[in-house]
Amino acid sequence: MQENIQLHKQDVNIREDSFLQGVKDCIPTLLGYLSIGFAAGVVGNTSGLSIVEITLMSLLIYAGSAQFIVSGMIASHGSPASIILTVFIVNLRHLLLSAALSPYFSRLTPVKTLLIGSLLTDETFGVAINKTTNKNHLSEKWMHGLNITAYLNWIVATLAGAFLGQWITNPEKFGLDFALPAMFIGLLVIQIVSRGKFTKDIVVAISAVVIVLGTSFFLSGSMAIIAATVIAATLGMVVEKWK
């Protein structure tokens, strides 16, 4: 009986760490990817980029915010140097995302870790960090399932936007600009429920909202969000240690 229970637990762990499970865990993010990727394809098309150029951006840059910026700067005739520098600065956040997840892949070789990090996005990071609850490591196969599913979905979405962009000149009219925040709200709710620490998490979330609203009077919108993130996260850490 004890052996059967042990074998069952091992079987469950294997399924949870599989490539297929990574694909399944990516499903909640797919609608957000489709909406934002579609919008990125539309914006690229209206900026004068060809379908081949939009596809190459999705394959090589693979970053929604950066692709919107590239399309806008190309439309405004920005220099190649300024575009490259801007994309580099915008994507620096991926260093922080990768650093936060790296301890969970410490047993892997640098090459394998590089392959995982190269396809890491804000959305897959959100799913992965949620998966780390009560865990010391993450499965390489599971992470590849998550990353590759998101990557392919993004390419398909931007291609669809590029093809259909000639008929859609205003993506905001269809609410596509709200798809990404809606997806992150969903991921946040999932993480709060899985942690089971409702009071503390809600206090931190409310604090972040209050800080954003307060600092937005004297800081830009992006700086207010960064300030709220740092201060609210620090508050949550202090409360966690104090208790």
Side-chain angles (χ1 to χ4, degrees), residues 6-194:
Q6 194 68 25
L7 288 172
H8 176 70
K9 287 182 178 179
Q10 290 178 353
D11 185 51
V12 170
N13 289 334
I14 290 173
R15 288 202 303 271
E16 286 184 348
D17 291 340
S18 67
F19 182 92
L20 181 59
Q21 187 59 48
V23 173
K24 292 178 179 178
D25 288 342
C26 189
I27 291 175
T29 71
L30 294 186
L31 183 58
Y33 271 98
L34 285 171
S35 302
I36 300 302
F38 187 85
V42 171
V43 170
N45 182 275
T46 56
S47 298
L49 296 174
S50 67
I51 292 177
V52 173
E53 290 169 333
I54 293 171
T55 303
L56 285 174
M57 275 211 300
S58 295
L59 286 169
L60 302 177
I61 298 179
Y62 183 42
S65 56
Q67 289 179 227
F68 280 110
I69 289 171
V70 169
S71 297
M73 293 185 73
I74 288 176
S76 60
H77 307 290
S79 67
S82 64
I83 294 174
I84 292 171
L85 180 61
T86 303
V87 170
F88 174 75
I89 293 173
V90 168
N91 284 347
L92 278 177
R93 71 187 187 282
H94 289 284
L95 291 176
L96 299 177
L97 301 182
S98 299
L101 283 183
S102 61
Y104 298 96
F105 298 100
S106 57
R107 68 194 184 285
L108 300 181
T109 64
V111 173
K112 290 183 177 180
T113 305
L114 179 64
L115 289 174
I116 290 173
S118 63
L119 292 182
L120 187 67
T121 65
D122 299 325
E123 295 78 18
T124 55
F125 171 81
V127 176
I129 205 67
N130 184 47
K131 184 84 169 179
T132 61
T133 305
N134 301 321
K135 286 193 173 187
N136 295 321
H137 70 276
L138 290 175
S139 164
E140 178 187 5
K141 291 181 180 179
W142 176 85
M143 196 68 200
H144 283 314
L146 175 69
N147 278 343
I148 292 173
T149 302
Y151 183 51
L152 294 177
N153 186 55
W154 176 260
I155 293 170
V156 170
T158 52
L159 275 174
F163 276 111
L164 302 176
Q166 56 185 315
W167 295 289
I168 302 175
T169 57
N170 185 15
E172 291 82 3
K173 181 180 179 181
F174 300 95
L176 297 180
D177 55 325
F178 187 68
L180 195 60
M183 182 182 65
F184 275 113
I185 290 171
L187 292 175
L188 177 62
V189 171
I190 292 173
Q191 187 167 5
I192 289 175
V193 171
S194 65

